[in-house]
Amino acid sequence: MGITSGRTYGTSRPGNIFNKEWPDRMAEDALSAKNNRIVTYLRLSVTDRCNLRCRYCMPQEGVSFVPHERILTYEEMLRIVKVAVHHGIRKVRITGGEPLVRKGLVPFLKALAQAQGLDEITLTTNGVLLEEFASDLKAAGIKRINISLDSLKPERFQLITGRDYFHKVMAGIEAAQKVGFSPIKINVVVMRGVNEDEILDFARLAVESPLCVRFIEFMPVGRENGWRPEAFVSIEEMKRIIYPFRPLAALETGRLDGPALRYRPGEGAGEIGFIGALSNHFCDRCNRLRLTAEGCLRGCLFSDQEIDLKGPLRNGADDGRLLDLIRLAVSTKPDNHLVLHRGPRKCARIMSSIGG
Ligand code: SAM
Ligand code: SF4
């Protein structure tokens, strides 16, 4: 047997997502979106700054970062998260820009971990500073960690990211393993003509080590990120490349898992995942919100509709008003796939300012 048929994310039907996570008496408090979805996942971008310049994410030069006073303070983020958690958010992923470049992150994470009702805090990082931070992150209560790495070749890594930091990232992965993060997910954005010839090398990594390698389809986000149809490699094509190397057995997707299709590669130690934001559209089941570092709440990665929370927050909005605005953002979540219906388009923001 080769590749078994993929599962789409969320093992429960919309109806029982509701029952599973929310007792009936709390139903009206939940953040419910179109298609009977309950929003339980918040991606929190703590900064728009970064120590890499990945070509698919950020322009190489002339990036203008948001001035510090326009970035949410940690106190403001905590306030928003607490309101959201009170109304059903169960998982928060810390992202950026590069989250580890923001000062004071560890104490913030410790405070966040106190938010009652939050089941899980996870973090996505480029790994450059991970060697330094791995132990503190673990102690602060980060449960799982995703590390982005698009090439196993140092020179190519530098070409993609604009920086000669390959060995720092490898040291970061090692440090994360050493302090006991498990599973560790490695995010690989696959681009034709750039790194698609490394798909098997990454698959081998998932066989030989307990890492979970997740191949991500290249997305058209930001105005000039190099996306073009020829550079796009679908998850079906990626699976076809891996198939002769190892059979892929589909795995169950957990309640707090994201949209990845998960597989065990033969008898391998690790796992292989695929995130097909374009080809495997999952908008009708998407249960996430994104808060940008500037304090704007987005219901969809591919839409430019944003709800400003920072302004009202700084003008004294109470929790009820914040909740109304969060609900408004939830109501903007599309119930079908905008990219498929309108064709690939680029949203105005660059990915680093949204948080992936
Ligand atoms: N700096 C951190 C990192 O790189 O992991 C966190 C922020 S980054 C914006 C979050 C995720 O988005 C990374 O895994 C990155 O590879 C992914 N990403 C950025 N631009 C992308 C694009 N155009 N297509 C697909 N994934 C992208
Ligand atoms: Fe920075 Fe992450 Fe974007 Fe790369 S993908 S430029 S590491 S924010």
Side-chain angles (χ1 to χ4, degrees):
M1 269 302 286
I3 300 165
T4 54
S5 67
R7 297 182 58 83
T8 45
Y9 88 114
T11 49
S12 17
R13 305 305 314 150
N16 64 23
I17 287 174
F18 197 84
N19 291 336
K20 204 161 144 192
E21 295 181 7
W22 284 83
D24 282 347
R25 66 186 167 72
M26 295 174 85
E28 64 200 40
D29 277 349
L31 299 171
S32 40
K34 291 169 203 137
N35 272 5
N36 213 9
R37 283 168 291 168
I38 302 299
V39 173
T40 57
Y41 177 18
L42 176 69
R43 291 181 73 96
L44 179 58
S45 172
V46 296
T47 179
D48 64 334
R49 287 154 206 258
C50 190
N51 44 6
L52 295 183
R53 290 288 180 277
C54 305
R55 294 169 174 277
Y56 53 78
C57 175
M58 243 192 215
Q60 299 303 284
E61 275 161 32
V63 194
S64 51
F65 294 110
V66 177
H68 289 297
E69 64 278 10
R70 278 179 34 210
I71 296 283
L72 287 181
T73 64
Y74 285 131
E75 290 71 23
E76 288 167 338
M77 288 180 195
L78 275 176
R79 173 100 194 276
I80 294 169
V81 171
K82 279 183 182 161
V83 173
V85 167
H86 197 68
H87 294 273
I89 292 293
R90 291 290 166 262
K91 170 173 167 179
V92 171
R93 174 168 296 282
I94 306 297
T95 178
E98 172 49 37
L100 299 184
V101 302
R102 179 150 178 190
K103 289 201 175 70
L105 183 73
V106 171
F108 166 66
L109 295 176
K110 285 185 180 156
L112 191 60
Q114 305 302 314
Q116 269 206 334
L118 194 56
D119 290 346
E120 194 172 75
I121 308 173
T122 57
L123 177 123
T124 301
T125 172
N126 61 29
V128 171
L129 297 173
L130 196 51
E131 188 178 19
E132 184 184 325
F133 278 100
S135 166
D136 287 348
L137 292 172
K138 186 92 173 113
I142 292 290
K143 288 274 188 295
R144 294 192 284 167
I145 211 157
N146 290 6
I147 303 165
S148 301
L149 178 66
D150 305 311
S151 177
L152 296 169
K153 302 177 182 184
E155 312 76 46
R156 188 178 281 177
F157 176 94
Q158 185 170 355
L159 270 177
I160 296 172
T161 66
R163 301 288 184 272
D164 183 16
Y165 290 160
F166 175 80
H167 296 287
K168 281 180 187 283
V169 177
M170 296 312 277
I173 295 173
E174 221 171 277
Q177 286 177 313
K178 235 182 237 159
V179 302
F181 278 110
S182 174
I184 294 173
K185 295 181 184 168
I186 304 293
N187 287 350
V188 187
V189 178
V190 180
M191 296 157 282
R192 197 182 309 285
V194 177
N195 64 350
E196 98 277 19
D197 59 338
E198 291 190 64
I199 289 175
L200 276 185
D201 294 336
F202 275 106
R204 202 166 287 117
L205 192 65
V207 168
E208 291 168 1
S209 68
L211 294 169
C212 169
V213 172
R214 300 174 350 140
F215 296 105
I216 302 177
E217 282 178 352
F218 184 16
M219 292 185 265
V221 175
R223 295 203 190 283
E224 295 303 331
N225 80 333
W227 193 93
R228 55 195 203 290
E230 309 80 63
F232 176 75
V233 182
S234 71
I235 58 176
E236 281 316 310
E237 183 177 345
M238 299 179 207
K239 285 179 183 175
R240 276 200 302 276
I241 292 171
I242 297 171
Y243 168 66
F245 167 64
R246 277 291 189 288
L248 295 174
L251 295 167
E252 282 285 305
T253 307
R255 179 170 68 92
L256 294 174
D257 283 335
L261 304 173
R262 300 173 51 210
Y263 298 87
R264 174 87 51 218
E267 298 300 306
E271 201 182 298
I272 291 180
F274 298 94
I275 301 180
L278 294 193
S279 71
N280 176 41
H281 53 103
F282 42 75
C283 290
D284 59 337
R285 281 154 290 130
C286 171
N287 68 344
R288 55 183 61 181
L289 282 178
R290 293 177 160 82
L291 183 62
T292 69
E294 265 183 287
C296 292
L297 209 48
R298 296 175 69 104
C300 176
L301 178 61
F302 292 108
S303 158
D304 286 327
Q305 264 186 301
E306 295 186 339
I307 306 298
D308 173 41
L309 297 191
K310 183 180 73 224
L313 196 62
R314 291 186 180 176
N315 285 319
D318 63 10
D319 287 357
R321 175 76 186 130
L322 288 180
L323 176 61
D324 287 344
L325 292 168
I326 295 172
R327 285 199 195 286
L328 187 59
V330 169
S331 75
T332 68
K333 286 184 76 58
D335 54 3
N336 56 23
H337 202 283
L338 295 172
V339 176
L340 285 189
H341 285 249
R342 298 196 306 227
R345 63 184 284 276
K346 298 173 184 226
C347 67
R349 274 191 190 268
I350 56 176
M351 191 71 126
S352 56
S353 74
I354 303 174

